[in-house]
Amino acid sequence: MRRKWASLGLLGRILTVALGLFAGFLLLGGILSAVAPSDGEPHAPAPSETPAVDTSAPLPTQPVKNPTVVATETVTVVPATPPQPPPTKTVTKTAEAPEPTRTAEAPEPKTTAPAPDVYYENCDEARAAGAAPLHRGDPGYAPHLDRDGDGVACEPYLGH
């Protein structure tokens, strides 16, 4: 039996279970209809031990009409933002600056202070000063600090 069940595959197993459930529901429905037949008429209420109240008022023979109630609601629309005041105009007058007078004096030449002379005996000194690596043109650069001559002195190496 186990081999037959395994040979059905997933879809076969699902269909077999679904067919079994369907047959079970049909059988259950047949049993319930045989026990409680329904002929389309409502069943009589079960007898009660509560005494019935005798009402001597006759029941109306005409159907009672229910009044129709219509409710209306008044909606007032209020703008979400208050109206904005009209924009104000601001007029600004700009005074004209007097034309500068030119003098025959020559402007002072701007000079930059020369970089202080810095010399490092070796790269350990440059690293201790926090200046390494040094590039050609930087204060403190010297050819004796540039091992490979590429313009960068005191390059970091794998040992540090």
Side-chain angles (χ1 to χ4, degrees), residues 22-78:
F22 181 70
F25 284 124
L26 281 179
L27 182 63
L28 182 62
I31 292 172
L32 288 178
S33 65
V35 171
S38 63
D39 51 2
E41 294 181 22
H43 298 285
S48 158
E49 294 184 17
T50 307
V53 178
D54 184 25
T55 57
S56 58
L59 294 176
T61 58
Q62 297 290 330
V64 178
K65 293 183 181 179
N66 291 335
T68 303
V69 178
V70 178
T72 60
E73 181 179 346
T74 304
V75 177
T76 305
V77 178
V78 178

Side-chain angles (χ1 to χ4, degrees), residues 9 11 20 23 25 28 32-33 39 41-42 52 59 67 74 79-80 91-92 103 110 120 122 127 138 142 146:
L11 184 60
F25 284 124
L28 182 62
L32 288 178
S33 65
D39 51 2
E41 294 181 22
L59 294 176
T74 304
V91 178
T92 306
T103 60
K110 294 182 180 178
Y120 298 111
N122 54 38
R127 286 189 189 100
D138 288 347
D146 189 0

